[in-house]
Amino acid sequence: MRTKLLWLTALAALGLAAGCTYDAGYETDYVSEPGYAGGAGGAPTGTWGDPGPYPGSVELEIGGAFMEGSLGDAREFAEEPYDVQGLRDPSLDVVRFDATDSRSGMWVMAQVEVVGGLDHEALAPGASLDFPGEPVSGLYVGGVGCSGPSPGNYTYDSSPQSVHVEVQTGSRPGYRRFELQLDFGIGHVADVVFEVPPSGAALDDLEARVVSATIGGGLEGGTVDGVATYLADLHAGGHSTVIVERLDPATGETLRARLDVEGGLAALGPGTYELGTDDFLRLSASTTPFEVDPGYSARATHLVVDVTESGSARSMDVLADLDSGDVLWTTLVYELR
């Protein structure tokens, strides 16, 4: 009950109590009258209002949004929202999705309200939570669902009876994918999907240190395979650069690779990534020792990266096709701290 009370108090501070409202200081919006309990077929009611921006609030970056469900007379819609807005207050994140039901032409809106913020430690990839449900300290998720003949002109307006939250690894390093189901009861439900990027604080708290590497393959006629004889890694400003080089003492052949990861190694969660789909990856190669010439003569045209995790350590297997027609592979083992 205390968690629910904190949720309602935070929403009231932003002027976001139950009703077809969002505003967040971006634009004048249609605000429902307190206590209105709309329903399918009911007459729209409400007043225009503009509470203005809440001090200290900032916009949230939201991507990959999709919504589906049934709200009021808008039945079984499945749409990409035409408008997605996010607001971050020191104690509350709010994300609103507006869409047009392509079947009925009706306006549908779902709003997610997260007391404790989307960066709450309980909302890490793999989380599966229900609200109300088992209390989570400092976290509560609620929302609003509306529909009507046109934006702001609503015939259905309700707060969910329950919210189910699933969190997964997103499509880019450090991103998280949220899947929420807002259940309003009696056949009214809204499912929303969206991604959020990592916060600067989350990345700053996590550091990757490469502890070992192997490299193999051929370039310019030479073939190398074995443990790196030179290894360097740099992590700064959300970017990681790792240089792996092996000088084969038996043949004198050298193979060197440079791997660049926008977003950083620390933010690259377990999974498979591929150049072309995931453009934050780059690899280049050379046969000249770094201390002689830091340049690179070849670039990866196709690159597959597999990341696995064991405790605080991760292993990254890299397989690259080079524009020279050669193939290169390298394995990095690094620790997160």
Side-chain angles (χ1 to χ4, degrees), residues 7 111-113 129-133 140-144 159-166 179-184 190 192:
W7 171 61
Q111 180 170 295
V112 174
E113 297 149 355
L129 301 170
D130 290 287
F131 301 88
Y140 195 87
V141 181
V144 175
S159 296
Q161 296 178 2
S162 64
V163 180
H164 179 68
V165 182
E166 298 275 351
E179 299 180 0
L180 292 91
Q181 182 173 84
L182 288 72
D183 188 346
F184 301 90
V192 295

Side-chain angles (χ1 to χ4, degrees), residues 9-334:
T9 301
L11 293 182
L14 278 177
L16 292 173
C20 290
T21 176
Y22 174 68
D23 206 284
Y26 298 130
E27 59 185 57
T28 299
D29 205 345
Y30 202 65
V31 182
S32 66
E33 295 176 349
Y36 173 69
T45 181
T47 56
W48 287 102
D50 183 4
Y54 187 73
S57 62
V58 296
E59 291 189 48
L60 274 173
E61 180 183 341
I62 304 294
F66 189 79
M67 62 186 295
E68 60 183 352
S70 295
L71 293 173
D73 292 326
R75 312 305 297 172
E76 298 182 356
F77 60 83
E79 307 294 342
E80 182 177 328
Y82 63 78
D83 189 31
V84 179
Q85 297 183 50
L87 170 72
R88 167 158 291 170
D89 165 75
S91 61
L92 173 71
D93 286 351
V94 181
V95 187
R96 168 171 163 160
F97 311 86
D98 288 78
T100 300
D101 177 13
S102 56
R103 298 173 62 180
S104 66
M106 296 185 69
W107 164 68
V108 291
M109 186 274 280
Q111 180 170 295
V112 174
E113 297 149 355
V114 183
V115 174
L118 292 166
D119 286 336
H120 191 282
E121 60 184 10
L123 296 177
S128 179
L129 301 170
D130 290 287
F131 301 88
E134 200 64 34
V136 179
S137 178
L139 178 67
Y140 195 87
V141 181
V144 175
C146 300
S147 67
S150 60
N153 183 13
Y154 56 87
T155 55
Y156 179 84
D157 169 20
S158 184
S159 296
Q161 296 178 2
S162 64
V163 180
H164 179 68
V165 182
E166 298 275 351
V167 187
Q168 302 174 3
T169 300
S171 61
R172 299 180 59 188
Y175 278 60
R176 285 168 299 140
R177 174 184 169 91
F178 287 82
E179 299 180 0
L180 292 91
Q181 182 173 84
L182 288 72
D183 188 346
F184 301 90
I186 320 176
H188 301 287
V189 64
D191 294 326
V192 295
V193 177
F194 62 96
E195 289 193 356
V196 296
S199 69
L203 288 179
D204 290 342
D205 289 343
L206 199 59
E207 180 181 332
R209 183 175 69 92
V210 180
V211 295
S212 65
T214 58
I215 185 170
L219 182 63
E220 299 175 3
T223 301
V224 170
D225 190 5
V227 176
T229 54
Y230 175 80
L231 177 62
D233 61 334
L234 172 67
H235 315 282
H239 181 100
S240 291
T241 295
V242 182
I243 298 174
V244 183
E245 177 181 297
R246 175 172 172 77
L247 170 61
D248 190 323
T251 64
E253 299 284 354
T254 297
L255 181 61
R256 174 164 51 94
R258 168 176 169 161
L259 178 68
D260 289 283
V261 182
E262 287 293 341
L265 282 181
L268 200 65
T272 300
Y273 307 89
E274 189 168 359
L275 180 65
T277 302
D278 304 305
D279 289 331
F280 48 81
L281 299 167
R282 294 287 185 275
L283 183 139
S284 50
S286 175
T287 59
T288 306
F290 183 79
E291 62 182 12
V292 176
D293 181 2
Y296 294 86
S297 59
R299 301 289 185 273
T301 56
H302 185 237
L303 181 66
V304 177
V305 174
D306 286 307
V307 180
T308 56
E309 185 174 54
S310 177
S312 62
R314 289 181 181 170
S315 178
M316 173 184 287
D317 292 316
V318 180
L319 179 62
D321 294 323
L322 305 176
D323 55 11
S324 62
D326 298 296
V327 176
L328 178 151
W329 57 89
T330 182
T331 297
L332 308 178
V333 177
Y334 54 102

